[in-house]
Amino acid sequence: MNMKKLAFLVDDDPGYRQYVKTFLSGLGYEMLAFEDGTQFMEKLHMNPDVVILDHQLGKDQEDGLELLRMVKREHPDIPVIYLSGQHDIAPVVQALKL
């Protein structure tokens, strides 16, 4: 029996979510995409094989760095691909340390 790997994507951009979901589904991943941290954290118990996490999730939502801290605290073995287009290097350095 061939089990698909489970990937989570957390990004507030619907077009980007659809693009990544389509791309990784084509590579054999079962994809769950979330537009905010609340939905994402509610499903983290599913123990995905990888999480793709955006740094900036919108004005009124948790930032990606705080979500990264929570993921690593609750599930330190889940690999996280952290996306950041920030001009400030400090958040990126913090993310790498986590």
Side-chain angles (χ1 to χ4, degrees):
M1 186 164 160
N2 191 6
M3 298 285 294
K4 285 188 173 188
K5 291 194 178 235
L6 178 61
F8 282 6
L9 169 65
V10 188
D11 197 300
D12 61 330
D13 182 330
Y16 186 75
R17 279 195 316 269
Q18 186 58 49
Y19 170 77
V20 173
K21 189 174 181 178
T22 300
F23 179 78
L24 289 179
S25 293
L27 294 176
Y29 281 87
E30 179 181 345
M31 290 292 305
L32 290 180
F34 307 95
E35 64 181 302
D36 64 48
T38 302
Q39 295 174 352
F40 163 66
M41 291 304 293
E42 288 174 355
K43 298 292 185 183
L44 194 57
H45 65 88
M46 295 174 69
N47 203 26
D49 295 290
V50 65
V51 171
I52 303 166
L53 177 60
D54 189 21
H55 173 75
Q56 192 166 355
L57 293 172
K59 297 176 191 172
D60 299 329
Q61 300 175 30
E62 306 92 344
D63 68 45
L65 197 54
E66 183 56 33
L67 288 174
L68 178 58
R69 283 186 188 102
M70 291 189 299
V71 169
K72 289 304 177 180
R73 186 171 44 244
E74 294 180 28
H75 298 275
D77 295 333
I78 295 176
V80 177
I81 299 170
Y82 193 76
L83 306 174
S84 174
Q86 303 300 306
H87 295 282
D88 181 10
I89 193 78
V92 176
V93 171
Q94 290 177 1
L96 285 171
K97 288 179 179 180
L98 293 170

